[in-house]
């Protein structure tokens, strides 16, 4: 695939989860996985979304928890699966059902990756076939040419606007894209990854040169700016940019080194939950344990020091859904990179 395996260095066969991860996954499962198989986002009114389903499915596959994987997959298929394509609706609210049939691309990417891993682990060819079909739909439906770049749309609807295309930098989940490219080979994957790295290198702002949660690409000129309609922050979405880059072994990218230096500067006092890229204002409250775990992974990956590695293995007790799942994803990344 034109050098793609070398560019995205995460191994295809995932590192087996260790006992500590299995215990933390079991705690997550007990706290956030409802009996019917949906992950409950305790920080957002108890909704469920395709992103959470995909992340949890990947964790269940790594923990060799087939029963939980099947619950997660079954509910996702019954409730979120879109009838006309291989994608999933992004949000479900108890009492209201699927509120928005639009997809979320990162949720689809992680569900597909989890199906590929679960199918291989448990010998379910139909899961691997579904993961490959999802990969093809992601490439065909959610990738758009913009000048000489290919951009990854955050969803099918709502992000192609007059004069601009909106992207979410944290949706470039590079280790997952590698798995999808190997399952559904196409040279366009390579260009998508190369162009995604270009976008992440150029789309950095503020004193610390950080990526925003949402980014706008201007048609014609190809200029990048924080997307109108969202706060211009390095915040709850964008913290995943260094996670996915470090997970893929792309540790010299500015999407890792910039956040690592930002967190290194502030760790002795209070690790901020966000910074406003328009005025460099810091959040008045601290980051969650999940973000602290990403900060530690990023700092280790960038060769910085100062924070205990225990941050990557923080207990989940008392943390909400999002902080808890970030902690689990950091642990998987560290396992894959031989850092744990």
């Amino acid at each position: 695939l034109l050098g793609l395996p070398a560019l995205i260095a995460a191994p295809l066969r995932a590192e087996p989860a260790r006992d500590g991860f299995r215990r933390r996954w079991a705690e997550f499962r007990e706290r956030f996985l409802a009996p019917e198989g949906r992950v409950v986002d305790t920080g957002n009114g108890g909704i469920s979304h395709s992103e959470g389903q995909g992340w949890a499915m990947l964790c269940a596959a790594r923990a060799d928890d087939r029963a939980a994987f099947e619950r997660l997959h079954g509910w996702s298929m019954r409730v979120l699966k879109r009838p006309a394509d291989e994608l999933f609706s992004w949000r479900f609210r108890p009492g209201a059902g699927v509120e928005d049939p639009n997809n979320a691309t990162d949720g689809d990417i992680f569900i597909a990756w989890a199906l590929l891993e679960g199918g291989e682990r448990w010998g379910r060819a139909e899961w691997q076939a579904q993961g490959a079909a999802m990969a093809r739909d992601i490439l065909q439906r959610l990738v758009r040419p913009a000048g000489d770049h290919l951009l990854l749309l955050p969803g099918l609807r709502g992000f192609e606007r007059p004069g601009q295309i909106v992207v979410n930098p944290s949706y470039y989940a590079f280790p997952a894209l590698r798995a999808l490219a190997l399952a559904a080979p196409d040279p366009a994957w390579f260009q998508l990854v190369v162009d995604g790295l270009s976008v992440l290198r150029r789309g950095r702002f503020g004193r610390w040169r950080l990526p925003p949660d949402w980014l706008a690409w201007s048609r014609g000129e190809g200029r990048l700016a924080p997307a109108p309609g969202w706060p211009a922050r390095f915040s709850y979405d964008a913290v995943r940019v260094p996670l996915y880059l470090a997970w893929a072994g792309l540790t010299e990218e500015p999407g890792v080194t910039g956040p690592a230096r930002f967190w290194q500067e502030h760790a002795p006092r209070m690790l901020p939950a966000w910074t406003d890229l328009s005025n460099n204002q810091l959040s008045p409250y601290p980051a969650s344990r999940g973000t602290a775990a990403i900060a530690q992974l990023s700092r280790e990956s960038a060769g910085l020091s100062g924070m205990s590695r225990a941050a990557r293995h923080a207990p989940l007790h008392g943390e909400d859904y999002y902080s808890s799942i970030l902690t689990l994803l950091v642990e998987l990344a560290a396992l894959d990179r031989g850092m744990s």
Side-chain angles (χ1 to χ4, degrees):
L1 284 177
L2 304 177
L4 184 59
L7 178 64
I8 305 180
L12 179 61
R13 289 190 63 86
E15 177 73 18
R18 298 177 182 174
D19 289 343
F21 177 83
R22 293 172 190 264
R23 287 194 299 272
R24 279 181 282 276
W25 160 250
E27 181 183 348
F28 179 94
R29 182 190 65 209
E30 293 307 309
R31 292 185 60 205
F32 303 111
L33 181 57
E36 65 269 26
R38 71 179 185 93
V39 176
V40 178
D41 186 342
T42 56
N44 282 294
I47 69 170
S48 297
H49 34 74
S50 59
E51 180 184 79
Q53 297 299 114
W55 284 337
M57 286 171 65
L58 183 67
C59 290
R62 294 294 188 91
D64 200 22
D65 187 349
R66 182 168 177 173
F69 187 97
E70 291 186 343
R71 284 165 61 194
L72 288 155
H73 182 229
W75 184 85
S76 301
M77 291 294 292
R78 291 191 305 273
V79 178
L80 300 182
K81 179 68 173 62
R82 292 161 49 100
D85 52 39
E86 297 299 325
L87 309 177
F88 288 78
S89 299
W90 81 276
R91 186 176 65 194
F92 168 91
R93 187 178 299 278
V98 173
E99 294 182 302
D100 185 350
N102 200 20
N103 75 303
T105 301
D106 65 331
D108 293 320
I109 286 171
F110 273 91
I111 290 173
W113 188 16
L115 285 165
L116 293 168
E117 286 210 4
E120 181 180 7
R121 177 178 296 274
W122 295 304
R124 294 289 295 270
E126 69 274 23
W127 290 348
Q128 290 182 293
Q130 184 183 3
M134 290 185 69
R136 289 189 290 270
D137 253 17
I138 289 166
L139 192 62
Q140 292 169 8
R141 294 175 175 268
L142 296 166
V143 175
R144 293 290 185 274
D148 59 354
H149 278 58
L150 291 181
L151 298 181
L152 184 67
L153 290 181
L156 278 167
R157 294 187 293 104
F159 300 100
E160 296 176 275
R161 302 176 175 182
Q164 66 180 206
I165 298 175
V166 174
V167 298
N168 187 312
S170 74
Y171 284 17
Y172 286 90
F174 293 103
L177 293 176
R178 179 185 190 272
L180 271 55
L182 292 170
D186 189 306
W189 289 110
F190 180 75
Q191 185 179 350
L192 179 66
V193 166
V194 170
D195 293 345
L197 291 173
S198 172
V199 167
L200 294 183
R201 290 166 187 158
R202 294 169 49 211
R204 299 179 295 122
F205 307 93
R207 171 183 169 186
W208 294 281
R209 304 292 293 163
L210 300 172
D213 290 337
W214 294 90
L215 191 60
W217 169 289
S218 65
R219 297 182 188 269
E221 299 176 355
R223 289 185 297 105
L224 292 167
W230 288 272
R233 290 178 178 175
F234 172 77
S235 181
Y236 300 104
D237 277 14
V239 296
R240 303 196 302 263
V241 170
L243 166 61
Y244 295 149
L245 287 167
W247 195 340
L250 299 167
T251 56
E252 297 182 2
E253 289 292 321
V256 175
T257 58
R261 287 192 295 267
F262 168 71
W263 283 316
Q264 178 85 350
E265 179 177 335
H266 294 96
R269 298 180 296 278
M270 181 191 79
L271 204 67
W274 49 260
T275 180
D276 189 316
L277 303 178
S278 66
N279 59 19
N280 303 313
Q281 178 183 351
L282 300 176
S283 65
Y285 49 87
S288 69
R289 291 178 189 168
T291 297
I294 295 175
Q296 175 58 21
L297 179 75
S298 303
R299 295 169 70 191
E300 288 182 50
S301 299
L304 302 176
S305 60
M307 186 188 297
S308 168
R309 288 194 179 194
R312 288 205 274 102
H313 303 284
L316 304 185
H317 179 69
E319 293 295 288
D320 66 11
Y321 148 78
Y322 188 54
S323 177
S324 298
I325 195 65
L326 289 183
T327 301
L328 290 176
L329 295 175
V330 167
E331 190 162 354
L332 291 184
L335 284 166
D336 281 0
R337 303 313 310 159
M339 298 170 63
S340 180

